Amino acid sequence: MPPGMPPARQQMHTLQRMAAAAESIAEADTVGVRITRDQAWSLAPLHGALACVRPGFHMAGNIGKVNFPAWLGRNSSANKRMRLLHECAAHMHAHISGSGEEVRQAYIPALRGPLLAPLRTHGVAGIDETLGLMDAYSLSKDDFDTIMEMQLLPAGGAPDITHVPTNAKSALTRKYNKTHLAVQKLKGAAAAARNEKRFDEDGAGDDDAVGDDDEHDDDDDDDDKLVKQKAKPVAAEPRKGKGKAKAK
């Protein structure tokens, strides 16, 4: 890099060198495919030059540390939080009209304090108030944890959930599982029952279902008339065997 180059030109020069190195590695992959496919081992020196020597020439010097593992970890966390945010927003959409971005920027910060205030102030006695607010927005316990996890903190700051007593958090989880999960199981059982064949208490089907069955039976009878029935073969009568001769 020429000395005295402006910072903007330095960044552009670095990007050009990185692009040239990446292009050389791509060309080395093409040569590698030719080597393995056609057994052209005479191209091995060219492959080494394109894969190692030329990229090293272009990238000579210090361009900073590239933290790919750290980026992958942050990207995984971002995808997880995005999925949790979409689930939370989907549950709240029955009561609000905001988009996912509005839920993240406005509703989640606004709900965090009211959800934690009863637990911080009254402990276990404030669980009902917290659950009532969760029910008002159709929030699940996972949504509650998502709201607490998405708190933006300064360096060294502690989340607000850490100020809630441990026994209050445990009691909140137990009561939610006892009351809300049972209701969800009942709803799931009712939905499964509706999918089954409908019968009344006497065991007879619904009128509509019976009517449909009658129509199908009539159609089947008409179809049966058009089908030529094969005559059943007549079983041959068994032959009479000769009796034993009578003794004289």
Side-chain angles (χ1 to χ4, degrees):
M1 183 181 300
M5 183 180 294
R9 294 290 302 277
Q10 291 180 5
Q11 295 178 358
M12 179 60 66
H13 186 69
T14 300
L15 290 176
Q16 291 175 350
R17 290 190 291 122
M18 294 175 66
E23 184 177 0
S24 179
I25 294 174
E27 293 174 354
D29 290 339
T30 303
V31 175
V33 171
R34 178 70 181 278
I35 292 175
T36 56
R37 183 185 61 190
D38 300 337
Q39 297 296 310
W41 297 106
S42 60
L43 298 176
L46 176 60
H47 180 268
L50 293 176
C52 301
V53 179
R54 192 177 176 190
F57 169 77
H58 289 299
M59 299 303 297
N62 184 16
I63 63 170
K65 185 178 179 181
V66 181
N67 296 321
F68 284 107
W71 180 88
L72 293 174
R74 290 194 298 267
N75 184 63
S76 177
S77 300
N79 292 335
K80 173 188 173 184
R81 293 190 176 187
M82 186 64 67
R83 176 179 55 82
L84 295 176
L85 175 62
H86 287 167
E87 293 178 359
C88 183
H91 295 161
M92 296 175 64
H93 276 164
H95 310 281
I96 65 174
S97 59
S99 62
E101 289 77 8
E102 292 173 343
V103 170
R104 175 63 185 92
Q105 297 175 7
Y107 284 92
I108 287 181
L111 285 172
R112 187 179 297 111
L115 286 173
L116 292 179
L119 301 177
R120 296 176 62 178
T121 305
H122 306 291
V124 178
I127 291 177
D128 293 334
E129 185 176 352
T130 298
L131 290 178
L133 182 58
M134 292 171 60
D135 293 339
Y137 287 91
S138 300
L139 296 175
S140 64
K141 184 59 172 60
D142 293 336
D143 297 333
F144 178 88
D145 297 335
T146 299
I147 292 175
M148 302 306 153
E149 183 180 353
M150 290 189 176
Q151 182 179 6
L152 297 178
L153 299 170
D160 294 342
I161 190 66
T162 57
H163 302 291
V164 177
T166 304
N167 61 341
K169 292 187 288 187
S170 302
L172 174 65
T173 303
R174 288 194 300 268
K175 188 163 186 179
Y176 178 86
N177 294 337
K178 183 179 179 180
T179 58
H180 293 68
L181 291 184
V183 173
Q184 293 178 4
K185 290 181 180 179
L186 291 176
K187 290 182 179 179
R194 286 195 299 268
N195 293 332
E196 296 178 357
K197 191 174 182 180
R198 295 173 295 174
F199 283 91
D200 55 18
E201 296 179 356
D202 297 332
D206 294 341
D207 296 338
D208 297 338
V210 173
D212 295 339
D213 293 340
D214 293 339
E215 293 176 359
H216 289 302
D217 293 340
D218 296 339
D219 296 339
D220 294 340
D221 293 340
D222 296 338
D223 295 338
D224 293 340
K225 294 177 181 178
L226 298 176
V227 177
K228 186 177 180 180
Q229 300 291 336
K230 293 183 179 179
K232 296 182 180 180
V234 179
E237 295 182 358
R239 297 180 178 179
K240 295 181 180 180
K242 294 181 179 181
K244 295 181 179 179
K246 292 183 181 180
K248 292 181 180 181

